[in-house]
Amino acid sequence: MNIEKRALLDHAERCRRVANELDHGEAAQRLRAMADEYEARATRLDDEGGSSTPGRNSH
């Protein structure tokens, strides 16, 4: 698994974990939506054949 995909999936996992611990329903819902987006981006990396180079966009 490439570095970018792993980072996106890790972010998604953290968002879901925090969302499950929150009492504030709206904030938890936003975090779950963020997790969904991180997972979608990770899936798109698979579709695009994403790079495993950590700094591919840096100068």
Side-chain angles (χ1 to χ4, degrees):
M1 182 178 305
N2 73 46
I3 294 169
E4 283 180 275
K5 181 176 179 180
R6 180 76 259 158
L8 288 166
L9 294 175
D10 287 347
H11 285 311
E13 181 182 339
R14 280 189 215 102
C15 286
R16 290 193 195 287
R17 187 176 336 127
V18 171
N20 289 337
E21 296 174 3
L22 287 179
D23 292 330
H24 192 278
E26 188 176 330
Q29 184 178 11
R30 286 195 308 263
L31 281 168
R32 287 185 185 101
M34 288 172 60
D36 290 343
E37 179 58 28
Y38 284 132
E39 289 171 346
R41 287 171 60 188
T43 300
R44 286 193 300 270
L45 280 178
D46 281 342
D47 295 341
E48 297 168 359
S51 169
S52 61
T53 307
R56 73 176 191 181
N57 292 330
S58 60
H59 296 280

